[in-house]
Amino acid sequence: MTASVKSSLASPPPRIIARLDIKAPNLVKGIHLEGLRVIGRPGDFAKRYFEAGADELFYQDIVASLYQRSSIVDLVKQTAEMIFVPLTVGGGIRSIQDIQTMLRAGADKVCVNTAATTRPEFISEAAAIFGRQCIVVAIEVLKQTSGKYLVFTNNGRQSTGLEAREWACRAVDCGAGEIVITSVDREGTRRGLDLGLIEEIVGAVGVPVIAHGGVGHAGHVLEAVRLGASGVAVAKALHSDALSIAEIKNHLVAAGVEVRR
Amino acid sequence: MTKRVTIVDYGLGNLHSVIKSVQHFGAEVEVADTAERVSQAERLILPGVGAFGDGIGHLRNRGQDRAILDYAAKERPLLGICLGAQLLLDESEEFGRHHGLGLIPGKVTEIPREHVRVPHAGWGKLVGGPVGGNDPLLREIPEDSWMYFVHSFQLQPAAPSSILRICQYGPHPIPAVVKRGLVYGCQFHPEKSGKTGLILLRNFLDL
């Protein structure tokens, strides 16, 4: 299938995903995945976004991969008690046991990054057990001065030498059911998503692609949706009240895009 | 009167969310990790996230497959969710060919990859299937209600009359709620479908 055909593949109405970066027990936010600031209690924010109509919540444990630990299981449990929309959990997912633990705690999907780039077979093993719809692969990208999109891990610190498009295709071949693509350059800046990157990945794979990194206003979300993103993850703009889920959905509806109400 | 509901635990999936969502309505929940507990249930939910072959294998290893059949033979309410719904059918073509529980005639096939992204992941509207109607499971759930789907394979019941609701995905009508007797299957996740999903679970508790 050619790239242009894949770009035109239909998705369900775009998901507006509230992304919460977590350094247990706190919700934090930085810029370019660095310089973290404590914002509040994740549960409070999760509940608020659920009530406001978020289509999905995304918890990213941002220290897990660095310190070889995962501490948000309890938080996932508490969240699943009060949030009745899907919850994706990422950060420090390295084994089948880690996935099992998160799913049993109430996560619907798990998001893998470092473990997948180090050993792509991990994606296949996980997909064979839990189904590919359950396995999301996160791709953190830094745009190089050459214009190339290169894949990084550990919050944008560790280069893998892989190109984003090539890695996205490989991950999907291995069994990834969804790709979350983060532009580290744009992350936390509210300057807008990297549309070139989104276009490239949406055209390369046949699974849903979630765009993340840089949303500042509702128009940014619409741009990504028009390019074929199946969802857009928003963090800082929501946490700081610069933007609401209702504003995003109203803007999409006004532009003729169907959303869940 | 407190409703009692038994949730089949066969080692896969997000039990926690299902438990919490039925407790939301004050139901008393029992998690059944053995065959005995399954067959003694008053009301049974078969949840599931995962691959069909693994799911049915886990049920068989614990003897829970027979227990579910025994339970269903007593004409008591059974709700399969997502993979749990798929396991109710005769067979699946996911990673090879696997036999299911055969409570609803039909098979589980891959969603055609033409024109749509697969997995089908996101929110979809329930619309009338060939039968539609006023099934008690769908009380107060009007046409165009939004539910959350996440799946690569779909329910294909042999009898069109088994399909109560579909979700249109691109050119593909995806069976969303299927039924035979008191055996129901939901392709979507009611426990993750906001307040509307909770209404469906409440209706199930009232069956």
Side-chain angles (χ1 to χ4, degrees):
Chain A
M1 211 179 267
T2 66
S4 59
V5 174
K6 281 192 175 153
S7 296
S8 68
L9 291 173
S11 291
R15 280 173 267 157
I16 307 306
I17 301 168
R19 170 164 168 140
L20 290 83
D21 289 342
I22 295 181
K23 185 176 178 185
N26 295 313
L27 168 64
V28 295
K29 198 69 201 102
I31 182 167
H32 310 310
L33 303 174
E34 297 270 12
L36 304 172
R37 199 165 59 80
V38 171
I39 292 181
R41 296 201 306 185
D44 297 345
F45 282 79
K47 184 130 203 261
R48 190 175 103 197
Y49 298 142
F50 167 65
E51 299 288 347
D55 297 314
E56 182 170 330
L57 298 180
F58 191 112
Y59 277 5
Q60 178 72 24
D61 183 354
I62 51 156
V63 288
S65 195
L66 289 177
Y67 299 102
Q68 302 289 307
R69 66 191 167 86
S70 188
S71 51
I72 58 172
V73 177
D74 288 339
L75 185 57
V76 169
K77 274 189 185 156
Q78 290 157 19
T79 304
E81 287 176 21
M82 51 183 188
I83 301 301
F84 300 106
V85 292
L87 173 63
T88 304
V89 180
I93 305 282
R94 289 179 209 90
S95 66
I96 296 300
Q97 185 58 48
D98 290 340
I99 298 176
Q100 180 84 297
T101 303
M102 285 303 175
L103 296 181
R104 287 182 82 89
D108 299 278
K109 298 182 278 189
V110 293
C111 189
V112 294
N113 181 357
T114 311
T117 52
T118 336
R119 204 172 68 81
E121 309 79 59
F122 178 53
I123 304 173
S124 326
E125 292 158 15
I129 295 172
F130 302 102
R132 63 172 60 216
Q133 77 291 331
C134 198
I135 310 300
V136 179
V137 169
I139 304 185
E140 290 171 5
V141 179
L142 274 163
K143 188 174 186 175
Q144 306 298 296
T145 43
S146 63
K148 273 189 183 171
Y149 290 113
L150 288 189
V151 179
F152 284 68
T153 59
N154 287 332
N155 303 324
R157 278 170 233 176
Q158 180 85 44
S159 173
T160 62
L162 296 162
E163 278 194 53
R165 183 194 164 89
E166 161 201 11
W167 171 232
C169 292
R170 173 93 195 275
V172 170
D173 286 344
C174 286
E178 186 158 297
I179 299 289
V180 176
I181 188 97
T182 297
S183 161
V184 179
D185 320 59
R186 302 296 182 98
E187 204 274 336
T189 67
R190 295 180 10 206
R191 277 172 36 226
L193 295 146
D194 187 330
L195 299 178
L197 173 64
I198 294 164
E199 194 167 20
E200 190 166 307
I201 304 304
V202 162
V205 299
V207 301
V209 175
I210 306 302
H212 169 236
V215 170
H217 57 71
H220 291 148
V221 176
L222 178 62
E223 289 169 345
V225 167
R226 287 236 162 100
L227 288 175
S230 298
V232 178
V234 190
K236 197 177 207 174
L238 290 178
H239 306 334
S240 64
D241 271 330
L243 184 61
S244 73
I245 288 158
E247 258 179 276
I248 297 173
K249 290 197 171 180
N250 289 338
H251 188 76
L252 292 175
V253 168
V257 177
E258 185 177 43
V259 296
R260 167 202 167 231
R261 291 289 193 163
Chain B
M1 195 185 75
T2 308
K3 309 275 180 164
R4 288 190 59 212
V5 59
T6 301
I7 298 174
V8 186
D9 179 4
Y10 52 109
L12 290 174
N14 56 351
L15 285 186
H16 190 73
S17 310
V18 180
I19 293 168
K20 291 298 164 188
S21 57
V22 292
Q23 282 177 345
H24 191 74
F25 297 105
E28 189 184 309
V29 175
E30 186 191 26
V31 175
D33 54 3
T34 64
E36 292 71 33
R37 291 182 162 200
V38 168
S39 44
Q40 287 158 12
E42 288 175 18
R43 197 176 268 101
L44 194 65
I45 294 179
L46 181 61
V49 168
F52 193 99
D54 262 348
I56 198 72
H58 279 74
L59 285 179
R60 288 212 181 100
N61 289 342
R62 297 162 187 236
Q64 289 169 321
D65 56 333
R66 280 162 188 265
I68 293 170
L69 296 178
D70 289 346
Y71 168 86
K74 294 180 208 160
E75 296 191 14
R76 290 184 187 167
L78 168 58
L79 177 66
I81 296 174
C82 196
L83 174 67
Q86 298 181 353
L87 292 170
L88 302 173
L89 275 64
D90 291 322
E91 60 173 20
S92 166
E93 58 182 34
E94 184 176 8
F95 295 117
R97 191 164 291 276
H98 304 277
H99 286 289
L101 294 167
L103 287 168
I104 298 177
K107 55 188 177 183
V108 178
T109 62
E110 196 158 14
I111 299 171
R113 278 154 204 271
E114 288 91 55
H115 311 297
V116 293
R117 288 184 188 272
V118 178
H120 174 221
W123 295 76
K125 286 189 290 191
L126 298 190
V127 294
V131 184
N134 303 313
D135 194 274
L137 187 74
L138 298 167
R139 193 162 47 91
E140 292 172 41
I141 300 180
E143 286 266 313
D144 293 339
S145 291
W146 293 94
M147 297 288 185
Y148 179 73
F149 293 79
V150 56
H151 62 122
S152 308
F153 287 75
Q154 58 178 342
L155 304 160
Q156 296 282 280
S161 61
S162 301
I163 304 171
L164 299 184
R165 290 285 186 276
I166 61 158
C167 166
Q168 194 67 38
Y169 185 36
H172 311 301
I174 307 266
V177 184
V178 300
K179 176 192 187 181
R180 187 183 184 217
L182 282 176
V183 177
Y184 290 91
C186 289
Q187 181 59 70
F188 53 87
H189 286 273
E191 79 281 14
K192 291 289 176 175
S193 294
K195 287 171 182 139
T196 325
L198 293 178
I199 293 173
L200 185 142
L201 290 169
R202 185 206 63 196
N203 290 344
F204 179 70
L205 294 175
D206 287 341
L207 284 177

